[in-house]
């Protein structure tokens, strides 16, 4: 009985042990299965959620960074324009605006950019610096209209007094309107306002009107289809600046399938919030279900494992299936791990490519920690400074700056770290390897977190040494130009077509009787009436100037401040803009009153002199006519007495007296005829009786006529004249010219002297006939005297044959009538050469028979 009970107890104990073992095994299987399943669920959920979160964080960061960088670019542009205007020393706003347009590249991010300035107390003017004409973004509905109501609004709100960068979203017309249909985009224009000030003197304000569509690339929204909604709003006024919604995507996504991200940042003096909402991508949704699938399979496997313990045979088959499925999942997991490794390699390659791109940039790209320790430097560091990148990495950035700049740069850097300052730019000096410093522009652009959540500051350094040198050279040139203008002896000015002076130098003010250019610019409202009194003459001048674009040496009368008229000489040109519109006239003015009055007096004196000369010539001509009548009678009666026509004269002395009377009368008649010829030539009444004659015969006639005098003084004649042409002219007067010159040569040549005749043709075809003697010669004063009417040179050689001094002057006048000339070359005690010159059209050369008739017709 006891053995049976023991056996029964042993069996029961065995059953209990089997049950305990089976229960423990089931419990262990269940517990292990739950632990493994939950662990796998948590691990996969963590990794998958991390991947999806990283994906949306990247998209959020890209979108947010684009918006923040766009805002920072706008702020930098408007601050840079304000700084340029404040630092500019030029008063020419057109040149200043042109420099801003040329040097500021960020103006295209504004729909409008204007400069509003107070030209005089209470009078505000503006200049449009830029206007957007983008074809990729819809045109803004809002336009700045800087009228009086707009200016009153600025004054009322104190926007013209604050030195901070202000942002305005509630100007009249800044409505909230729809920009696009798909995606549905609503936007509001807003404006930056920055006061321009120099040495406590207001230069006005610069105002840039823009909108969110210009802050970032619109393709960013089009390509990122996961971005459902973007909202930008002003935190203080709760006014929306920008809102984008994808209507088609919103209706298909539940709240569980959406993610949102919110940013806050300062824009000018306001704080804006950016709210981003994303829709989960289909692949991400599918990937997020994998942990639940694993959880489901883990529970199933746990339940199967538990049943396997209870039913070994049934569980063996199920366990094999489960193992197969587990192996499949492990294979998929291994494949995913391999894919992840491949992505990591691609990421490393992309990082190398990005580094190559960064190193190719000419500016230095750097990254520091919040203490200023350099963590990263691009290759441009060594190109600019000469220091190796590895040597400089780990050092303090600010220690490389000029000692005078280090404290300021540290303060700005620390303010950025504390959030008291946005991204900024500043000029400083950077140490280079030779110990000197180069001018650079330091740009601190952003603060980011690295993979260890440490703050990093990213920035760039631009070498502006050459630009600074150019700016200094430009400033020096402007200073020199200003000095030249202010110290110029002549007046310089700029005048609008409406008659308003834009600028003037001190000389201009003095010419018009003003104490300073400022007084002149203030008092002269319209030069058309206040400076140029004759409006019709001024109107005609402006029309001529517009047609010719420039006029030199224009002389006119102007009014001084004291109403005194003066004569001035002006050089004026037109200055046009790029559209060829007339902007203003630029010119110089010279006071020529004294010279003009002297010219007028000289002209009046000349008129009086011409009148007196004409009266003298007419008087001499009349007197000569009156003298010739009795002189002809004297010559006629003396000739009768000389030839004894009326019978013999008793006394021989009377016959000699008659001969002397006849000779003297004929000499006097010759003088009177010469006086008449000169008078006719001077009064323009001398007409030529032209014909074609042989010049050689005219020369031979003069030689034969004076041969007796030549032999009497034993003078040698050397005639080198060859190939003498035929002349078209008045033969008698030409013979008279040759005789006068030849006679003077004989008269002033001593006994035993020599006279030479020679001819030649110039390259232009003119004919020259020269008579050279070895006489007493003349100096320059005596030549002038000999060529003047009644001018005589003292001649101790031949007093008996001296005349009244009309020979050379008459000869010169006759050659002038023939369109020729007469040259006299002489040297004292050596001799004289007189040359008579005939123009080519009066010459018929012996070897030019074909052209003779045509030349004869041209002359006659």
């Amino acid at each position: 009985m006891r053995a049976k009970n023991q056996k029964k107890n042993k069996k029961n104990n065995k059953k209990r042990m089997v049950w305990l073992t089976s229960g423990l095994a089931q419990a262990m299987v269940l517990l292990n299965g739950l632990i493994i399943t939950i662990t796998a669920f948590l691990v996969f959920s963590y990794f998958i959620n991390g991947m999806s979160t990283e994906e949306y964080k990247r998209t959020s960061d890209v979108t947010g960074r684009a918006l923040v960088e766009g805002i920072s670019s706008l702020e930098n542009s408007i601050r840079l324009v304000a700084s340029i205007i404040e630092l500019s020393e030029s008063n020419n706003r057109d040149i200043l605006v042109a420099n801003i347009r040329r040097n500021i590249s960020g103006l295209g991010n504004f729909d409008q950019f204007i400069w509003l300035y107070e030209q005089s107390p209470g009078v505000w003017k503006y200049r449009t610096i830029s206007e957007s004409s983008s074809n990729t973004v819809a045109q803004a509905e809002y336009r700045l209209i800087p009228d009086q109501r707009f200016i009153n609004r600025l004054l009322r709100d104190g926007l013209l007094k604050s030195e901070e960068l202000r942002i305005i979203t509630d100007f009249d017309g800044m409505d909230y309107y729809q920009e696009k249909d798909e995606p549905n985009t609503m936007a509001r224009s807003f404006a930056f306002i920055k006061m321009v000030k120099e040495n406590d003197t207001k230069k006005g304000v610069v105002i840039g009107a823009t909108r969110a569509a210009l802050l970032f690339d619109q393709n960013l929204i089009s390509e990122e289809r996961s971005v459902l909604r973007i909202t930008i709003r002003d935190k203080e006024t709760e006014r929306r600046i920008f809102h984008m919604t994808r209507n088609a995507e919103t209706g298909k996504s539940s709240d569980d399938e959406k993610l949102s991200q919110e940013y806050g940042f300062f824009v000018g003096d306001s704080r804006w919030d950016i709210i981003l909402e994303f829709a989960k991508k289909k692949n991400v949704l599918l990937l997020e279900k994998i942990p639940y699938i694993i959880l489901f399979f883990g529970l199933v496997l746990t339940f199967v494992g538990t049943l396997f313990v209870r039913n070994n045979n049934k569980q063996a088959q199920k366990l094999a299936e489960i193992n197969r499925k587990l192996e499949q999942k492990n294979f998929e997991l291994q494949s995913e791990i391999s894919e992840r490794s491949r992505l990591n390699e691609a990421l490393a390659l992309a990082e190398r490519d990005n580094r190559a791109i960064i190193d190719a940039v000419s500016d230095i790209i750097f990254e520091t920690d919040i203490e200023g320790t350099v963590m990263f430097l691009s290759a441009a560091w060594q190109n600019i400074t000469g220091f190796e990148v590895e040597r400089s990495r780990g050092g303090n950035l600010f220690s490389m700056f000029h000692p005078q700049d280090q404290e300021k740069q540290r303060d700005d850097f620390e303010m950025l770290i504390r959030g008291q300052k946005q991204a900024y730019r500043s000029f400083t000096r950077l140490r280079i390897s030779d110990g000197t410093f180069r001018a650079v522009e330091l740009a601190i652009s952003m603060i980011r977190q690295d993979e260890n959540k440490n703050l990093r500051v990213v920035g760039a350094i631009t070498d502006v040494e050459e630009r600074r040198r150019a700016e200094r050279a430009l400033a020096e040139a402007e200073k020199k130009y200003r000095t030249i203008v202010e110290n110029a002896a002549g007046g310089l000015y700029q005048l609008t077509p409406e008659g308003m002076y834009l600028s003037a130098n001190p000389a201009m003010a003095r010419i018009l009787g003003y104490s300073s250019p400022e007084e002149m610019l203030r008092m002269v409202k319209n030069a058309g009436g206040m400076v140029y009194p004759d409006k019709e003459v001024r109107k005609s001048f402006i029309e001529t100037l517009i047609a010719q674009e420039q006029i030199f040496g224009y002389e006119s009368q102007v009014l001084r401040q004291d109403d005194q008229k003066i004569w001035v000489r002006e050089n004026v040109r037109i200055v046009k803009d790029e559209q060829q519109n007339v902007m203003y006239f630029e010119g110089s003015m010279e006071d020529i009153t004294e010279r003009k009055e002297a010219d007028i007096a000289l002209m009046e004196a000349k008129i009086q002199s011409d009148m007196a000369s004409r009266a003298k010539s007419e008087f001499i001509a009349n007197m000569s006519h009156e003298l010739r009548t009795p002189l002809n009678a004297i010559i006629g009666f003396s000739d009768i007495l000389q030839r004894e026509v009326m019978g013999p004269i008793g006394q021989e002395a009377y016959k000699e007296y008659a001969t002397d009377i006849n000779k003297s009368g004929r000499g006097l008649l010759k003088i009177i005829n010469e006086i008449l010829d000169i008078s006719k030539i001077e009064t323009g009444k001398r007409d030529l009786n032209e014909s074609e004659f042989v010049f050689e015969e005219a020369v031979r006639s003069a030689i034969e006529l004076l041969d007796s005098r030549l032999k009497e003084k034993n003078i040698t004649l050397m005639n080198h004249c060859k190939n003498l042409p035929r002349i078209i002219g008045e033969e008698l007067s030409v013979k008279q010219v040759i005789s006068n010159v030849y006679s003077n040569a004989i008269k002033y040549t001593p006994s035993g002297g020599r006279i030479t005749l020679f001819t030649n043709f110039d390259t232009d075809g003119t004919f020259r006939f020269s008579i050279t003697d070895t006489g007493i010669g003349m100096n320059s004063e005596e030549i002038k005297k000999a060529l003047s009417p009644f001018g005589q040179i003292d001649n101790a050689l031949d007093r008996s044959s001296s005349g009244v001094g009309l020979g050379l002057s008459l000869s010169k006048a006759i050659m002038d009538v023939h369109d020729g000339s007469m040259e006299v070359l002489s040297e004292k005690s050596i001799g004289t050469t007189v040359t008579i010159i005939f123009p080519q059209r009066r010459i018929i050369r012996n070897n030019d028979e074909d052209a003779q008739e045509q030349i004869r017709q041209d002359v006659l």
Side-chain angles (χ1 to χ4, degrees):
M1 190 68 182
R2 181 180 292 179
K4 187 177 181 178
N5 289 333
Q6 288 179 349
K7 187 177 180 179
K8 185 178 182 179
N9 291 333
K10 188 176 181 179
K11 185 178 181 179
N12 290 333
N13 290 334
K14 187 176 181 179
K15 289 182 178 179
R16 188 179 296 112
M17 290 298 296
V18 171
W19 183 84
L20 290 173
T21 301
S22 176
L24 182 59
Q26 294 181 45
M28 291 297 295
V29 170
L30 180 62
L31 182 60
N32 288 333
L34 290 175
I35 291 174
I36 293 172
T37 300
I38 294 173
T39 301
F41 172 79
L42 294 175
V43 170
F44 276 87
S45 295
Y46 174 77
F47 281 104
I48 292 173
N49 289 335
M51 291 174 60
S52 61
T53 302
E54 186 67 21
E55 175 67 15
Y56 293 119
K57 185 176 183 300
R58 183 192 64 79
T59 304
S60 173
D61 289 345
V62 170
T63 306
R65 188 182 303 113
L67 294 173
V68 173
E69 289 178 354
I71 289 293
S72 298
S73 176
L74 294 177
E75 291 179 341
N76 291 336
S77 295
I78 199 162
R79 284 192 172 98
L80 188 55
V81 171
S83 299
I84 290 175
I85 296 175
E86 288 176 354
L87 298 175
S88 175
E89 297 179 0
S90 175
N91 293 325
N92 192 322
R93 297 187 175 91
D94 293 329
I95 295 177
L96 181 57
V97 170
N99 288 335
I100 293 173
R101 291 174 181 168
R102 184 168 57 251
N103 296 318
I104 305 300
S105 59
L107 297 179
N109 294 330
F110 292 89
D111 288 320
Q112 283 180 280
F113 205 113
I114 66 173
W115 174 20
L116 184 64
Y117 57 92
E118 191 174 18
Q119 188 176 30
S120 60
V123 178
W124 290 85
K125 299 290 184 179
Y126 76 95
R127 293 293 178 96
T128 299
I129 295 177
S130 71
E131 285 189 351
S132 174
S133 58
S134 174
N135 295 325
T136 58
V137 181
Q139 293 294 322
E141 293 188 359
Y142 173 73
R143 286 291 176 189
L144 281 172
I145 303 176
D147 53 10
Q148 190 61 41
R149 184 173 61 179
F150 178 79
I151 295 172
N152 292 337
R153 162 71 190 276
L154 297 180
L155 294 171
R156 184 180 68 249
D157 294 345
L159 298 177
L160 300 181
K161 296 181 179 180
S162 175
E163 298 184 11
E164 297 181 353
L165 178 62
R166 304 289 298 274
I167 184 166
I168 303 300
T169 59
D170 59 347
F171 277 145
D172 293 339
M174 284 185 176
D175 299 324
Y176 194 58
Y177 64 96
Q178 184 173 4
E179 276 191 346
K180 294 173 60 178
D181 294 330
E182 182 56 32
N184 184 18
T185 304
M186 304 290 291
R188 181 192 307 276
S189 295
F190 57 92
F192 289 92
I193 298 181
K194 182 72 172 68
M195 186 178 76
V196 181
K197 186 176 182 182
E198 180 183 14
N199 298 328
D200 297 330
T201 301
K202 297 178 182 177
K203 283 193 173 182
V205 295
V206 288
I207 304 175
T210 185
R211 52 209 160 92
L214 299 177
L215 298 180
F216 55 91
D217 188 1
Q218 293 297 304
N219 294 329
L220 182 66
I221 296 177
S222 301
E223 295 173 359
E224 290 293 341
R225 305 294 297 179
S226 61
V227 180
L228 289 180
R229 185 177 291 111
I230 300 176
T231 302
I232 304 175
R233 66 185 181 191
D234 192 329
K235 188 173 182 63
E236 296 177 3
T237 63
E238 293 299 324
R239 185 178 290 111
R240 281 189 176 184
I241 308 301
F242 178 81
H243 182 74
M244 185 279 295
T245 303
R246 295 188 190 275
N247 296 325
E249 297 291 336
T250 303
K252 297 179 181 180
S253 301
S254 63
D255 293 335
D256 294 335
E257 297 175 351
K258 298 177 182 177
L259 295 174
S260 62
Q261 185 74 30
E262 184 172 350
Y263 294 91
F265 64 100
F266 285 96
V267 181
D269 61 339
S270 301
R271 178 179 174 84
W272 285 6
D273 289 337
I274 302 177
I275 302 174
L276 303 171
E277 188 171 311
F278 306 91
K280 293 184 179 180
K281 300 178 181 178
K282 293 182 179 180
N283 58 345
V284 176
L285 291 173
L286 180 61
L287 192 63
E288 289 180 349
K289 294 178 180 179
I290 291 178
Y292 294 95
I293 295 174
I294 294 176
L295 178 62
F296 171 77
F297 279 102
L299 294 176
V300 171
L301 291 175
T302 301
F303 178 74
V304 171
T306 304
L307 293 179
F308 176 77
V309 177
R310 295 179 62 182
N311 191 351
N312 189 36
N313 292 331
K314 293 181 180 179
Q315 289 292 0
Q317 186 179 0
K318 292 183 178 179
L319 185 58
E321 181 66 18
I322 292 173
N323 288 333
R324 187 185 66 79
K325 291 183 178 180
L326 285 174
E327 288 177 359
Q328 181 66 28
K329 294 299 179 183
N330 288 333
F331 176 76
E332 293 176 358
L333 183 61
Q334 186 65 35
S335 299
E336 186 176 347
I337 293 173
S338 299
E339 180 66 16
R340 193 175 184 85
S341 298
R342 187 187 66 79
L343 293 175
N344 288 334
E345 292 177 358
L347 180 61
L349 179 60
E351 288 180 352
R352 289 196 297 271
D353 293 341
N354 291 336
R355 180 58 186 262
I357 294 174
I358 291 174
D359 289 342
V361 176
S362 59
D363 294 346
I364 300 173
I365 308 299
F366 67 87
E367 184 179 71
T368 69
D369 60 11
I370 59 177
E371 300 297 330
T373 302
V374 177
M375 310 300 293
F376 169 81
L377 287 170
S378 65
W381 173 265
Q382 185 169 354
N383 297 334
I384 294 177
T385 65
F387 294 114
E388 295 182 356
V389 173
E390 293 299 328
R391 174 184 172 185
S392 301
R393 188 182 294 123
N396 189 274
L397 176 66
F398 302 106
S399 64
M400 297 297 294
F401 295 150
H402 194 280
Q404 297 178 355
D405 301 340
Q406 292 181 10
E407 183 177 357
K408 179 182 182 302
Q409 295 299 332
R410 287 183 187 274
D411 293 341
D412 293 342
F413 184 82
E414 291 174 357
M415 291 177 64
L416 177 71
I417 298 299
R418 293 194 299 268
Q420 298 176 353
K421 189 172 186 177
Q422 297 294 328
Y424 66 91
R425 290 175 177 267
S426 63
F427 291 97
T428 184
R429 290 163 290 180
L430 183 67
R431 186 190 303 275
I432 59 177
S433 58
D434 60 2
T436 61
F437 293 88
R438 292 184 69 86
V440 297
E441 183 182 23
L442 175 66
I444 304 297
S445 58
M446 61 176 293
I447 299 176
R448 72 174 190 89
Q449 286 185 338
D450 62 7
E451 61 276 6
N452 297 323
K453 305 299 182 181
N454 296 321
L455 293 179
R456 295 288 184 261
V457 179
V458 180
I461 297 175
T462 304
D463 186 3
V464 296
E465 180 70 22
E466 297 301 327
R467 189 176 77 189
R468 281 299 182 89
R469 290 176 182 174
E471 290 175 352
R472 287 194 293 268
L474 178 60
E476 185 66 23
E478 289 179 351
K479 183 178 178 181
K480 291 181 180 178
Y481 171 76
R482 189 180 302 109
T483 302
I484 292 172
V485 170
E486 290 179 354
N487 296 323
L492 303 175
Y493 64 87
Q494 290 177 332
L495 180 67
T496 66
E498 294 77 21
M500 178 180 292
Y501 282 104
L502 299 177
S503 65
N505 69 338
M508 182 68 182
R510 289 194 300 270
I511 290 173
L512 296 182
Y514 295 93
S515 59
S516 66
E518 291 76 14
E519 180 186 7
M520 173 184 164
L521 296 177
R522 184 175 64 255
M523 297 185 65
V524 179
K525 303 301 182 183
N526 187 350
M530 298 180 66
V531 178
Y532 303 97
D534 194 330
K535 295 184 178 180
E536 293 300 324
V537 173
R538 183 62 179 173
K539 181 180 178 182
S540 175
F541 169 77
I542 292 178
E543 291 175 353
T544 304
L545 176 61
I546 292 175
Q548 299 180 359
E549 295 192 354
Q550 59 183 6
I551 294 177
F552 296 101
Y554 179 74
E555 297 182 358
S556 63
Q557 281 189 306
V558 299
L559 271 178
R560 288 169 50 91
Q561 185 187 18
D562 55 5
D563 294 333
Q564 176 187 355
K565 284 188 176 182
I566 61 173
W567 283 93
V568 296
R569 176 187 176 92
E570 294 183 84
N571 297 325
V572 190
R573 72 179 186 93
I574 291 178
V575 179
K576 298 182 178 180
D577 59 13
E578 296 177 354
Q579 288 75 34
Q580 298 302 308
N581 298 319
V582 177
M583 295 192 300
Y584 55 86
F585 305 145
E586 189 174 69
S588 62
M589 179 180 290
E590 177 187 1
D591 186 353
I592 60 169
T593 303
E594 293 183 1
R595 180 177 66 79
K596 194 68 176 181
E597 292 176 350
D599 290 345
I600 293 172
L602 182 61
M603 185 177 297
E604 293 177 351
K606 185 177 183 302
I607 293 172
Q608 296 296 328
S609 175
D610 291 343
M611 292 175 64
S613 177
R614 184 177 295 274
K616 178 204 72 173
S617 299
E618 292 177 353
F619 171 76
I620 292 175
N622 292 332
M623 288 299 297
S624 298
H625 278 291
E626 296 298 328
L627 289 173
R628 287 207 312 184
T629 300
L631 188 58
N632 286 328
I634 293 173
I635 294 173
F637 284 119
S638 64
D639 188 55
I640 292 173
L641 293 175
Q642 181 183 0
R643 291 185 295 166
E644 298 179 337
V645 176
M646 303 299 296
I649 300 175
Q651 294 289 336
E652 187 66 25
Y654 291 161
K655 186 177 180 180
E656 292 178 0
Y657 295 157
T659 301
D660 292 339
I661 292 172
N662 185 269
K663 183 178 180 180
S664 298
R666 291 184 183 277
L668 182 58
L669 181 62
K670 180 182 177 182
I671 294 173
I672 292 174
N673 288 333
E674 289 177 348
I675 293 174
L676 282 174
D677 285 340
I678 291 178
S679 299
K680 288 180 180 179
I681 293 173
E682 288 180 351
T683 57
K685 296 179 181 180
R686 177 68 160 84
D687 295 326
L688 294 176
N689 184 17
E690 294 181 317
S691 63
E692 180 182 332
F693 64 93
V694 179
F695 187 75
E696 184 177 3
E697 294 181 358
V699 174
R700 186 184 302 112
S701 175
I703 293 174
E704 292 176 351
L705 181 66
L706 299 172
D707 185 60
S708 60
R709 291 181 58 191
L710 189 73
K711 291 179 179 180
E712 181 182 342
K713 297 186 70 172
N714 193 25
I715 296 174
T716 302
L717 176 64
M718 302 180 69
N719 189 351
H720 297 298
C721 298
K722 297 179 180 180
N723 298 324
L724 295 180
R726 283 173 290 179
I727 303 294
I728 298 176
E730 189 176 78
E731 182 178 6
L732 184 61
S733 63
V734 172
K735 287 181 178 180
Q736 184 180 3
V737 172
I738 297 173
S739 297
N740 287 342
V741 177
Y742 186 54
S743 173
N744 282 342
I746 295 174
K747 182 194 304 184
Y748 293 106
T749 300
S751 298
R754 184 177 68 254
I755 296 176
T756 305
L757 309 181
F758 60 90
T759 59
N760 68 293
F761 291 91
D762 289 341
T763 55
D764 59 354
T766 58
F767 173 67
R768 304 171 68 91
F769 172 73
S770 300
I771 299 176
T772 301
D773 62 60
T774 58
I776 61 176
M778 297 177 287
N779 56 31
S780 59
E781 294 297 327
E782 290 174 338
I783 291 175
K784 293 180 181 179
K785 184 177 180 181
L787 290 175
S788 63
F790 306 102
Q792 287 184 294
I793 306 301
D794 291 337
N795 181 18
L797 299 175
D798 190 4
R799 274 295 180 188
S800 62
S801 61
S802 60
V804 293
L806 291 174
L808 285 181
S809 62
L810 179 60
S811 298
K812 185 178 184 303
I814 291 174
M815 291 307 300
D816 289 340
V817 174
H818 280 81
D819 299 326
S821 60
M822 188 173 72
E823 292 180 354
V824 179
L825 299 175
S826 182
E827 189 170 348
K828 203 74 172 174
S829 303
I830 293 179
T832 302
T833 298
V834 179
T835 303
I836 58 175
I837 303 170
F838 292 92
Q840 187 271 340
R841 67 186 187 86
R842 291 188 175 274
I843 306 303
I844 301 177
R845 301 178 67 171
N846 295 332
N847 57 354
D848 195 14
E849 298 293 339
D850 295 337
Q852 291 178 6
E853 184 62 28
Q854 182 64 37
I855 296 174
R856 188 181 299 109
Q857 292 177 1
D858 292 342
V859 175
L860 297 179

